[in-house]
């Protein structure tokens, strides 16, 4: 059963947003640490980013400080950390170019979804699937482990094996989430085509203010099913 998501309040200076901004500011510093092979500092910064990612969501709900800016900053920070890690680990020959190509291709594959949803008259974007969140989490675990695996010793070997397991699972789930987003977008397109045409202005005046069943409310969020929030698809 689908429900309509309430539009987040237009607040900017909130505790969750400040945490998200701090994560964004740390992205170029993290990339620099990876490139100069200051791996332990890079891992520490990545741990901070992961903890702040978990904390800002908790605080947003606990303090009732959800906002439109937050729904943009949170997935943007995750994507930028993944991108920075991909660039750094590729330059250091820790991960192959084909993995980067597969992950970038997934991002390209979902690019048309946002304009399609907006063209249908919805005020927001598709809610984030649990599978998309799980994929992001797997990748955020995979890359630090692969970074540790670039060193010597039994612990590094174990980290490399576990890291590749997370990377493979995360990549598969990433693409699965993309397919689900396209399925949901197709459902919205079909629902829009099945809506009755709008009345002409004169006919509308004669007929009175009758609501049009089946047409989406331009200010409403798209149906979310059992999803929570209305964030950018991951």
């Amino acid at each position: 059963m689908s429900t309509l998501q309430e539009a987040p309040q237009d607040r900017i200076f909130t505790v969750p947003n400040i945490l998200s901004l701090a994560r964004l500011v740390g992205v170029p510093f993290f990339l620099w640490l990876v490139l100069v092979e200051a791996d332990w500092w890079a891992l520490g910064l990545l741990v901070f980013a992961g903890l702040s990612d978990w904390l800002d969501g908790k605080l947003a709900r606990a303090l009732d400080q959800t906002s439109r800016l937050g729904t943009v900053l949170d997935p943007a920070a995750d994507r930028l950390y993944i991108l920075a890690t991909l660039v750094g680990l590729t330059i250091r020959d820790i991960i192959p170019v084909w993995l980067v190509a597969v992950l970038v291709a997934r991002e390209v594959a979902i690019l048309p979804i946002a304009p399609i949803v907006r063209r249908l008259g919805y005020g927001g974007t598709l809610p984030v699937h649990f599978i998309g969140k799980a994929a992001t989490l797997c990748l955020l675990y995979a890359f630090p482990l692969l970074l540790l695996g670039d060193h010597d010793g039994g612990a590094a070997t174990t980290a490399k094996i576990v890291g590749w397991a997370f990377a493979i699972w995360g990549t598969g789930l990433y693409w699965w989430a993309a397919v689900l987003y396209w399925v949901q977008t197709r459902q919205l397109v079909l629902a829009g085509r099945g809506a009755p045409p709008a009345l002409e202005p004169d006919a509308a005046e004669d007929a009175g203010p009758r609501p049009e069943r089946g047409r989406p409310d331009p200010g409403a969020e798209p149906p979310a099913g059992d999803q929570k929030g209305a964030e950018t698809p991951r």
Side-chain angles (χ1 to χ4, degrees), residues 83 86 98-109 111 174-175:
L83 177 62
L86 285 173
W98 66 260
L99 178 60
V100 180
V102 169
L103 293 174
V104 171
R106 186 270 188 185
E107 292 298 317
V108 174
L111 276 179
Y174 219 45
W175 271 98

Side-chain angles (χ1 to χ4, degrees), residues 7-20 55-74 231:
Q9 299 182 14
D10 297 323
R11 289 181 285 187
I12 297 177
F13 297 105
T14 65
V15 174
N17 287 351
I18 291 173
L19 287 174
S20 295
L55 185 60
D56 64 17
K58 290 288 185 181
L59 290 176
R61 290 185 290 270
L63 302 177
D64 191 23
Q65 292 186 346
T66 58
S67 65
R68 290 187 181 277
L69 179 61
T71 61
V72 173
L73 288 179
D74 186 49
E231 307 169 15

Side-chain angles (χ1 to χ4, degrees), residues 106 110 129 131-132 135 172-182 234:
R106 186 270 188 185
I110 65 171
H129 282 282
I131 292 174
L173 291 174
Y174 219 45
W175 271 98
W176 186 6
V179 171
L180 292 177
Y181 291 133
W182 273 110
R234 296 186 189 186

Side-chain angles (χ1 to χ4, degrees), residues 195-212:
L199 296 175
E200 295 295 330
D202 293 339
E205 291 177 3
D206 295 337
R210 292 183 296 176
E212 297 178 64

Side-chain angles (χ1 to χ4, degrees), residues 28-100:
F29 186 49
F30 168 75
L31 178 58
W32 176 76
L33 290 172
V34 172
L35 292 178
V36 300
E37 300 188 15
D39 292 347
W40 290 108
W41 285 102
L43 287 171
L45 181 55
L46 203 58
V47 168
F48 164 77
L51 289 175
S52 66
D53 185 22
W54 170 82
L55 185 60
D56 64 17
K58 290 288 185 181
L59 290 176
R61 290 185 290 270
L63 302 177
D64 191 23
Q65 292 186 346
T66 58
S67 65
R68 290 187 181 277
L69 179 61
T71 61
V72 173
L73 288 179
D74 186 49
D78 289 341
R79 280 177 168 153
L80 286 175
Y81 269 103
I82 290 175
L83 177 62
T85 308
L86 285 173
V87 171
L89 298 189
T90 303
I91 292 175
R92 288 180 54 178
D93 291 326
I94 296 176
I95 60 175
V97 176
W98 66 260
L99 178 60
V100 180

